[in-house]
Amino acid sequence: MKQLRLILLVFGALILCSTASAEQIKTVKKMDRHRPDNPYYSRVDTMKLNLPDGVWKKVLSPEVYAVARKKQTEQAFSGKLWDYNEKGTYYCAACGNALFRSDAKFASTCGWPSFFETVRKGSVTYLPDRSYGMVRTEALCGRCGAHLGHLFDDGPPPTGKRFCMNSVVLEFEPDKPGAKKGH
Ligand code: FE
């Protein structure tokens, strides 16, 4: 009898645990942005994506695809964010990965949105880029590998870095009034 009570107790605890995690999942899903056109988009999932080009071509707009997957560069002073100064977070337009906070953005004269640091370690990854006869560092989304722009060493303090980004692959989300600073 004592054993049976123990088994029932363990079962009860297990059910409680599974309910809690199901609730957590529900909360995360509710917080996340649902994109019927892009099932890989998530602002909470940081798991790396390794998808073939054909999949990205289907789920991204032609403008985002051209920069994110074909490494094109938007014209200087043409993007929506180079001269934009609202408070909030910048996400990867291809996959929803958080990339930069507005307080790391600075007024650069180059005509592209520029930041001196990323929102967290690993949110951006780097590759040497020797295209067009130049030696540069390519900056890519740490989650989906989208081309974002380049990293230069002529930024302001405290890092001295300049993340020179294409507006079209960034998505801006303003801070909610009174909300704690995200990420
Ligand atoms: Fe991404």
Side-chain angles (χ1 to χ4, degrees), residues 92 94-97 141 143-146:
C92 172
C95 78
N97 182 34
C141 170
R143 179 169 182 251
C144 76

Side-chain angles (χ1 to χ4, degrees), residues 9-98:
L9 210 71
V10 170
F11 262 109
L14 278 175
I15 287 166
L16 266 177
C17 284
S18 62
T19 313
S21 59
E23 273 307 311
Q24 273 169 355
I25 291 164
K26 249 192 257 170
T27 312
V28 164
K29 287 222 165 129
K30 222 169 140 188
M31 279 163 54
D32 207 353
R33 295 296 169 109
H34 184 57
R35 291 280 168 96
D37 52 330
N38 181 354
Y40 308 102
Y41 187 99
S42 172
R43 289 195 178 173
V44 291
D45 187 354
T46 53
M47 186 124 62
K48 280 189 192 279
L49 294 169
N50 190 13
L51 299 168
D53 187 64
V55 171
W56 288 118
K57 195 157 192 182
K58 272 187 207 150
V59 301
L60 300 179
S61 71
E63 297 76 28
V64 174
Y65 175 79
V67 174
R69 307 317 305 185
K70 295 296 164 193
K71 304 183 191 291
Q72 289 186 12
T73 300
E74 68 192 9
Q75 266 201 318
F77 305 102
S78 73
K80 59 188 192 281
L81 298 168
W82 73 271
D83 191 21
Y84 189 78
N85 296 304
E86 296 302 311
K87 286 207 178 318
T89 304
Y90 291 84
Y91 297 87
C92 172
C95 78
N97 182 34

Side-chain angles (χ1 to χ4, degrees), residues 103-108 114-117 152-163:
D103 40 21
K105 194 172 189 288
F106 63 95
S108 175
S114 300
F115 304 83
F116 59 76
E117 69 182 358
F152 300 98
D153 289 323
D154 57 4
T159 62
K161 299 288 180 194
R162 174 168 61 99
F163 290 82

